[in-house]
Amino acid sequence: MTTTNVLQPSFLDLPPAVRRAQTAMQRPEVQAMLRRLSEFDLGIFMPHRHDEQTGDFQPLPDEVLQVESGCKVSFRNRDEIAHQTDRFLPVAWRWRDGALATASACEMVTEEGTGSTGTLIKHKMPNEH
């Protein structure tokens, strides 16, 4: 497995949480977890966002979700989408306060189709409203 070495000078300015996540990927126990997760078609995600003015990495706050809609990523307050399970599909998770918590979700749309329920659920695309 190849990952960037976090000791490179360009990584020294990363926030501690982001640097810790990058460093963790070099650890044998984290790579073992990744191998195990891959058996379930899962991977490892580093929850983060970027400062709107500088582009600097920032840890993703607990109350914020990364949301993909219409092939664009935005960051929204967790409370805005927490109970819209018919519209948003969780795609990344984190462990927070002793429980599973969504970190990222994709906005979905429902269409008439030939599925077993007569509807198809798919990712919302840019031209869909």
Side-chain angles (χ1 to χ4, degrees):
M1 180 181 317
T2 304
T3 57
T4 304
N5 182 345
V6 299
L7 299 178
Q8 294 177 357
S10 62
F11 279 57
L12 295 177
D13 291 336
L14 291 174
V18 174
R19 193 169 49 244
R20 191 170 39 258
Q22 291 291 315
T23 301
M25 291 309 303
Q26 303 299 323
R27 298 178 63 116
E29 65 266 32
V30 173
Q31 292 180 16
M33 286 185 254
L34 181 57
R35 278 192 300 278
R36 180 72 173 125
L37 286 169
S38 72
E39 295 174 18
F40 301 97
D41 297 316
L42 295 170
I44 292 177
F45 166 74
M46 184 186 74
H48 74 284
R49 65 180 179 181
H50 299 275
D51 180 275
E52 291 182 20
Q53 276 71 45
T54 65
D56 290 348
F57 277 90
Q58 298 176 331
L60 189 66
D62 289 345
E63 69 279 0
V64 175
L65 294 181
Q66 178 182 352
V67 176
E68 184 181 340
S69 178
C71 295
K72 295 195 184 290
V73 173
S74 64
F75 298 92
R76 307 212 359 223
N77 187 292
R78 176 182 307 283
D79 294 338
E80 287 180 44
I81 64 170
H83 301 293
Q84 297 183 55
T85 55
D86 59 328
R87 188 170 151 207
F88 293 95
L89 178 70
V91 296
W93 303 265
R94 61 197 321 188
W95 194 255
R96 286 288 180 234
D97 299 324
L100 185 67
T102 300
S104 181
C106 287
E107 187 171 13
M108 307 302 286
V109 294
T110 304
E111 312 181 327
E112 293 302 316
T114 59
S116 62
T117 61
T119 58
L120 297 174
I121 299 172
K122 64 178 192 169
H123 193 277
K124 183 175 182 177
M125 299 304 287
N127 58 351
E128 296 170 343
H129 302 286

